Amino acid sequence: MSKPTADQSAPSDAFIARFRARASGDVARFDAFMDLALYDPEFGYYRRSGRRVGYGKGTDFFTATTSGPIFGELISAACASLLKGHDLRDFHFLEIGAEPGGGVLRDVAHPFASARTIRVGEPIEITGNAIVFSNELFDAQPFRRFVFRSGNWNERYVRLQHGHFVEELRPAENYAFAALPSSAPEGYQIDLPFASVELLRAIAAQPWRGLFLAFDYGKSWSELVEAQPAGTARAYFQHTQSNDLLARPGQQDLTCHVCWDWLTEVLASSGFSALALESQEAFFVHHASDFIGAAIAAEAARMSQRKLALMQLLHPAHLGQKFQALHATRMAPCANSD
C-alpha cells in the first residue's frame, strides 16, 4: 500500500463523504475514484465552473481549441471534404464534451444545417444525418490500472486512510484477464480505457448516419502492452504533468491514452466504413489542403497570430503529431435502431 505524497492536498470532507458512499470499506477501484473525481455533479473536475483549458491563470492544460477559430475552420473544411457528394445542409454538426461556453464551431461560419454541443452530464441523443465530433473526449473517460508483479496481474484500488487517498493493490479479477496479456515483465503497468469503449458504443448505437470524427491521443494495443512499461496515466494541474493521480481530487485532470484498436473495432462492428486513423497533421493536410493553402497565402506577408496558430496545429513538433484523428462514415442508421 502506498503512502500519501508530501504535497498531496487533503480532500474535502464532502468529497470524502461522497467517496465513502460509493466505496466498500473505504476502498474503491481506481476507475470508480476517477469517475467521482472528474464527473460527480457536485465535486467533479469537469462539472465545476471556471476555465480549465487555455493559457491563463487557473487553467490546467491547452489543446487544439486554444488556437482559436482556425481549428474550427479546419474541422469544417475537412468534414466538407469527407462528405463530398452529399448536401452538407442536410447534416447537423454535433460536438460531444465541449467546454461550457465553447464549441469548435461557435465562432465559425459553416455549411451545415446546424451546430450544437452536448455538455458533460447531458444525455447523448443523436438521430438523422449528423457529423459527430469530439476533441479529447475519450482520453478523459475513467480507466482501470493494472501492474504485473510476482507472476500475476494486480489491479490498483484507492483506499481512504487517515483523511488521504492511498493506493492499494489487489489480485486482478478473472474477467480482466481476457484483456490482459498472459505475462509481462515484472512491474509492467497497463492502463485500460474500458469506459472509452463503452462511451463509443453508446454513441454508435444511436439511430444516426453520417460522419464520426474524434481527435485524441492514443496507442495501438501492441504499443500499450509492449512499449509502455510505466502505463500512460497522468494528471494535469496548472500546466504541470504529474504521476500523482490521487492528489487534489476534483481539482486536477486525469487522463490516459485510448486504445485505437478497440475504438476502431467498435465502429466497424456498428456499421461504419472508410475507417481511418491519421495524425492530426496528416488529417488536415489530406482533407483540408485547399483551406490550408488559402490561409497560408492570405498570411504570407506577415507572421500573424492566425498563422502561428495554424503552425501549432500542423507542425509535428507541436500538436501535429501529438494528436490523432479517427474518422469513419455510416450512411445508414445502426442495425439496432428503430
Side-chain angles (χ1 to χ4, degrees):
M1 184 183 299
S2 64
K3 296 180 180 180
T5 56
D7 62 344
Q8 188 185 54
S9 59
S12 67
D13 291 341
F15 187 92
I16 288 176
R18 189 64 56 90
F19 176 83
R20 279 179 163 156
R22 294 195 184 187
S24 174
D26 284 352
V27 180
R29 223 167 52 188
F30 176 81
D31 58 336
F33 168 84
M34 181 176 174
D35 183 63
L36 178 64
L38 293 188
Y39 296 108
D40 181 81
E42 185 175 355
F43 305 108
Y45 175 79
Y46 282 109
R47 303 297 293 273
R48 64 179 173 83
S49 59
R51 292 181 62 201
R52 288 169 286 268
V53 183
Y55 301 104
K57 182 179 180 181
T59 61
D60 297 307
F61 58 93
F62 67 90
T63 185
T65 56
T66 316
S67 300
I70 194 166
F71 181 58
E73 294 170 20
L74 283 163
I75 294 296
S76 178
C79 290
S81 174
L82 289 166
L83 289 172
K84 187 176 181 179
H86 297 274
D87 189 343
L88 300 178
R89 295 170 296 181
D90 291 338
F91 288 84
H92 298 270
F93 187 96
L94 178 63
E95 181 175 359
I96 301 177
E99 286 286 296
V104 70
L105 297 187
R106 185 186 63 170
D107 300 318
V108 174
H110 60 80
F112 313 119
S114 66
R116 68 182 182 92
T117 61
I118 294 179
R119 308 294 182 193
V120 171
E122 296 179 349
I124 298 176
E125 297 176 351
I126 316 170
T127 59
N129 295 333
I131 299 166
V132 178
F133 169 81
S134 66
N135 182 56
E136 292 196 70
L137 170 69
F138 293 97
D139 68 82
Q141 302 309 305
F143 51 88
R144 294 170 63 183
R145 312 194 67 204
F146 299 87
V147 59
F148 195 80
R149 289 186 180 168
S150 301
N152 294 292
W153 285 104
N154 295 273
E155 184 162 6
R156 298 185 186 277
Y157 281 67
V158 177
R159 174 180 289 278
L160 180 64
Q161 179 177 284
H162 307 305
H164 286 274
F165 292 112
V166 297
E167 180 185 279
E168 179 174 294
L169 290 182
R170 295 187 174 188
E173 297 174 354
N174 289 337
Y175 65 86
F177 288 109
L180 292 165
S182 58
S183 65
E186 179 70 14
Y188 198 98
Q189 301 184 72
I190 300 180
D191 300 306
L192 294 184
F194 290 124
S196 67
V197 176
E198 294 306 313
L199 174 60
L200 182 54
R201 284 191 180 127
I203 292 170
Q206 297 289 314
W208 64 278
R209 63 191 70 81
L211 172 65
F212 172 85
L213 174 59
F215 284 75
D216 233 308
Y217 46 80
K219 302 284 184 182
S220 67
W221 176 245
S222 62
E223 288 175 317
L224 290 176
V225 300
E226 297 172 7
Q228 299 294 138
T232 64
R234 54 196 180 274
Y236 286 96
F237 179 72
Q238 296 182 1
H239 295 275
T240 299
Q241 181 179 315
S242 168
N243 293 324
D244 192 352
L245 277 60
L246 305 186
R248 310 178 191 89
Q251 300 176 47
Q252 66 176 2
D253 189 26
L254 303 174
T255 178
C256 84
H257 281 61
V258 301
C259 179
W260 289 122
D261 294 333
W262 291 1
L263 298 185
T264 300
E265 288 170 5
V266 171
L267 292 173
S269 65
S270 301
F272 286 83
S273 60
L275 280 77
L277 177 66
E278 304 174 272
S279 69
Q280 181 169 295
E281 173 193 16
F283 174 80
F284 285 132
V285 168
H286 291 158
H287 306 292
S289 57
D290 290 345
F291 174 86
I292 293 171
I296 291 175
E299 306 291 331
R302 59 186 182 135
M303 184 58 74
S304 65
Q305 188 62 43
R306 181 175 172 84
K307 190 173 183 179
L308 287 170
L310 182 62
M311 291 174 59
Q312 184 184 52
L313 290 168
L314 299 179
H315 198 286
H318 295 288
L319 301 181
Q321 289 294 323
K322 179 179 180 181
F323 292 96
Q324 295 87 51
L326 175 63
H327 56 96
T329 54
R330 180 174 67 186
M331 290 308 167
C334 62
N336 56 351
S337 65
D338 293 333

